[in-house]
Amino acid sequence: MNKKKEDLMEKIVSLCKRRGLIFPGSEIYGGLANTWDYGPVGVELKNNVKKIWWKYFVQEREDIVGLDAAILMNSKTWEASGHVAGFSDPLVDCKKCKTRHRGDKLIEEKHGVDDVAGIKLEDVQPRLMKEKIACPHCGAVDWTEAKKFNLMFKTHQGVTEDSGSLVYLRPETAQGIFVNFKNVLDTTHLKLPFGIAQIGKAFRNEITPGNFIFRTREFEQMEIEYFVAEKDWKKKYEEFKESCWKFFTEYGLNPEKLRWRQHAPDELSHYSKETYDIEYRFPWGWGELEGFAYRTDFDLKQHEKFSGAKLRYRDPETNEEIIPHCIEPSFGCDRTLLTFLIDAYTEEEVKSASGEKETRVILKFHKDLAPIKAAILPLSKKEELTKPARGIFNSLKSHWMVQYDETQSIGKRYRRQDEIGTPFCVTVDFETLEDKAVTVRDRDSMKQERVKIDELVEYLKKRFEE
Ligand code: ATP
């Protein structure tokens, strides 16, 4: 990463800390590497990411229903899914300083994502040596052979620690959907094609997490398993692919920073016949934002085999029993949040009240994503202003997440709200006492409008619909 891009990430990380979006995890104990906690503003943003996703893919579609499955699952699930045998990354050790690294990522950092896709385990170390790729920690070029490192976290359930009590923290939410396929089908009237959506935590013992919340060991996924008849998979795949793209662009991501990247045949996961990723141009280069896989009938078949349960769909017209095929859009919630955050980050040169040039930092979020929708700011701490301002806050709070703030100068308060992406600031001034109106300042244009207090809710409703 060059210096400017590093600066951008530094600025974003520091803004997140300063304004209560994201804090380093376990900070008072010196932290725990690559863990992050969402603060008062960040949790609102994260909830909004989930809300818009759920609205777009579940609420507004008749063919997709939701689910919330447990994180801990019978370990056979992970044997059936192939994760016990194959969910691993190539681990290499630096012989000099003994640090451990993900070999394919070291090569990828040098050459970009396409070059390393599907690299074989035995080719990782020779390439590192041949291309003189140095250890990021000590600079030596002295690597061990690459080994498979399984990414699943293991733990034990109950009071004993024998192999019978072994459970995994789920590395993806998808399997919770497959094992509930029959339950959902039996309790709904869904007809093919239909989907089951789930948002929830997933855990991967990543060898090299990093880039803030881009890659962490604990994260949230937003996944859909969309079941189709085999003959329809391609058509449905293309339709769904388009709606995933629209999801990101309709909620404001710059399409010029997005692209589809198809997985090469030797890069495909064991279950997939076709996979595309939506990638975003992050400050450090292109990176996966969403995986979009055609999983065939692999998972349902495997679970039939390992559980003995029948996971079939009876075609209401032909009465034929089939195992549906499956299309899987898999989004990272934290990664989606990070992408919206980076994309929304804007710096503008403005003139201060005293005429000096200064930089205005704004998170230009789509209004549905903005953590706080409006801030109510009395111009003075005198009761004659704080009283009506509190009244306005009370009348808005049942409609939206709003904030009341009477501390510091109005300029500082505007800056604070710009930095967390609040679309509107509502200022109560001494004129309010005369005209029963307030000034509404627009985050992006900084234009101010005088609005009657009685009409404020309707006015804001209209503005949110624009
Ligand atoms: P990568 O190649 O980056 O390791 P992957 O191909 O293993 O990712 P998938 O299994 O396709 O990722 O996971 C689906 C989505 O879950 C990803 O597109 C990403 O948004 C999110 N995701 C996966 N791993 C992580 C992680 N360690 N931290 C945060 N988000 C993740």
Side-chain angles (χ1 to χ4, degrees):
M1 235 195 301
N2 69 32
K3 186 78 188 105
K4 212 168 144 203
K5 288 170 181 167
E6 246 173 61
D7 283 352
L8 174 63
M9 279 317 288
E10 265 171 34
K11 282 182 191 169
I12 289 175
V13 174
S14 116
L15 184 149
C16 284
K17 170 94 205 278
R18 193 170 68 245
R19 296 293 180 215
L21 280 98
I22 303 170
F23 307 129
S26 316
E27 204 182 4
I28 61 165
Y29 287 105
L32 173 67
N34 296 293
T35 60
W36 301 94
D37 297 337
Y38 291 87
V41 176
V43 70
E44 296 301 330
L45 178 61
K46 197 170 184 194
N47 284 342
N48 290 343
V49 169
K50 293 186 221 178
K51 250 190 239 164
I52 60 165
W53 188 88
W54 200 263
K55 180 163 181 274
Y56 188 89
F57 288 107
V58 183
Q59 186 183 327
E60 291 179 353
R61 294 182 65 133
E62 255 186 275
D63 56 345
I64 300 185
V65 295
L67 180 80
D68 185 12
I71 289 172
L72 301 178
M73 301 177 73
N74 188 306
S75 298
K76 275 195 190 152
T77 309
W78 307 109
E79 287 169 34
S81 66
H83 283 80
V84 172
F87 191 56
S88 54
D89 281 335
L91 172 76
V92 288
D93 289 5
C94 170
K95 287 186 189 164
K96 188 167 171 222
C97 71
K98 312 286 181 225
T99 54
R100 317 192 98 179
H101 302 267
R102 194 171 144 182
D104 58 336
K105 288 286 165 200
L106 291 175
I107 305 170
E108 185 184 305
E109 270 160 29
K110 185 161 179 190
H111 294 289
V113 80
D114 291 318
D115 182 68
V116 78
I119 189 167
K120 290 201 183 78
L121 188 70
E122 61 272 24
D123 295 337
V124 172
Q125 190 253 13
R127 267 198 72 177
L128 288 169
M129 299 304 290
K130 189 169 147 228
E131 295 179 22
K132 299 196 170 26
I133 297 177
C135 169
H137 191 246
C138 72
V141 184
D142 198 359
W143 299 105
T144 59
E145 287 287 321
K147 289 188 290 231
K148 273 188 175 182
F149 177 76
N150 195 298
L151 301 183
M152 280 199 294
F153 277 98
K154 285 179 194 162
T155 186
H156 290 271
Q157 172 158 283
V159 290
T160 53
E161 288 206 357
D162 56 24
S163 61
S165 69
L166 176 71
V167 285
Y168 299 97
L169 300 187
R170 67 179 177 198
E172 61 175 30
T173 60
Q175 300 304 323
I177 297 179
F178 292 122
V179 303
N180 278 291
F181 173 80
K182 192 170 155 23
N183 283 334
V184 173
L185 205 54
D186 288 349
T187 51
T188 57
H189 299 286
L190 291 164
K191 300 224 167 17
L192 281 187
F194 70 85
I196 306 174
Q198 169 162 230
I199 298 178
K201 289 263 177 172
F203 302 82
R204 297 182 185 179
N205 200 3
E206 300 277 3
I207 300 166
T208 35
N211 285 329
F212 196 24
I213 54 168
F214 179 82
R215 189 182 302 285
T216 47
R217 295 190 171 107
E218 172 184 344
F219 55 98
E220 259 180 291
Q221 287 189 312
M222 309 185 288
E223 294 196 299
I224 300 164
E225 303 308 320
Y226 194 69
F227 300 101
V228 297
E230 184 179 7
K231 63 175 176 37
D232 296 332
W233 82 264
K234 188 69 181 166
K235 184 167 168 272
K236 295 293 163 196
Y237 188 85
E238 294 306 328
E239 282 172 17
F240 218 124
K241 201 166 155 233
E242 207 180 304
S243 73
C244 289
W245 182 270
K246 271 199 191 147
F247 168 75
F248 288 119
T249 52
E250 278 180 16
Y251 282 104
L253 285 192
N254 178 358
E256 281 163 26
K257 289 188 170 180
L258 286 173
R259 71 175 186 192
W260 282 108
R261 186 183 72 80
Q262 185 170 18
H263 284 208
D266 53 0
E267 183 193 356
L268 288 171
S269 307
H270 56 282
Y271 52 74
S272 176
K273 272 212 179 137
E274 186 164 330
T275 295
Y276 278 83
D277 291 340
I278 291 191
E279 294 187 339
Y280 181 81
R281 202 167 64 228
F282 291 97
W284 57 89
W286 289 98
E288 176 181 334
L289 175 55
E290 179 210 339
F292 189 70
Y294 168 42
R295 292 179 82 121
T296 69
D297 54 358
F298 174 84
D299 303 270
L300 289 180
K301 260 192 179 154
Q302 285 292 102
H303 287 302
E304 273 208 346
K305 201 164 119 192
F306 279 71
S307 69
K310 270 208 156 189
L311 304 175
R312 306 275 163 120
Y313 172 84
R314 187 183 292 279
D315 188 306
E317 273 150 38
T318 63
N319 221 18
E320 195 191 344
E321 272 198 336
I322 58 161
I323 299 187
H325 279 231
C326 186
I327 292 163
E328 180 195 68
S330 173
F331 299 69
C333 175
D334 312 76
R335 212 176 268 188
T336 300
L337 182 151
L338 175 67
T339 312
F340 280 123
L341 191 62
I342 292 173
D343 210 65
Y345 184 91
T346 312
E347 288 182 2
E348 278 177 11
E349 286 242 316
V350 287
K351 271 196 183 152
S352 70
S354 54
E356 280 158 44
K357 269 192 194 168
E358 56 179 34
T359 306
R360 183 168 88 103
V361 173
I362 320 140
L363 290 181
K364 288 195 174 178
F365 288 131
H366 184 283
K367 294 187 183 84
D368 292 351
L369 275 169
I372 306 296
K373 305 298 184 206
I376 295 86
L377 316 173
L379 209 55
S380 125
K381 277 188 187 169
K382 290 204 174 102
E383 204 193 342
E384 54 186 323
L385 292 195
T386 58
K387 210 168 160 206
R390 282 237 171 254
I392 293 169
F393 170 76
N394 287 334
S395 69
L396 298 187
K397 72 183 183 191
S398 62
H399 298 274
W400 302 284
M401 193 73 203
V402 290
Q403 233 178 37
Y404 173 86
D405 185 4
E406 60 178 38
T407 61
Q408 296 185 307
S409 73
I410 190 73
K412 281 193 177 144
R413 281 181 277 167
Y414 280 155
R415 201 170 314 152
R416 199 151 60 216
Q417 295 300 334
D418 286 344
E419 285 196 1
I420 60 170
T422 306
F424 301 108
C425 286
V426 175
T427 311
V428 178
D429 52 29
F430 288 100
E431 252 182 84
T432 304
L433 304 175
E434 310 292 321
D435 65 0
K436 305 280 176 264
V438 287
T439 302
V440 178
R441 170 189 179 269
D442 179 282
R443 175 194 71 197
D444 299 342
S445 66
M446 290 199 285
K447 274 201 187 126
Q448 309 206 351
E449 253 187 275
R450 203 76 189 156
V451 179
K452 290 274 177 216
I453 295 174
D454 286 350
E455 293 163 14
L456 189 58
V457 169
E458 283 314 309
Y459 169 88
L460 288 175
K461 273 189 187 161
K462 233 186 250 156
R463 294 295 308 270
F464 282 124
E465 274 162 19
E466 271 172 11

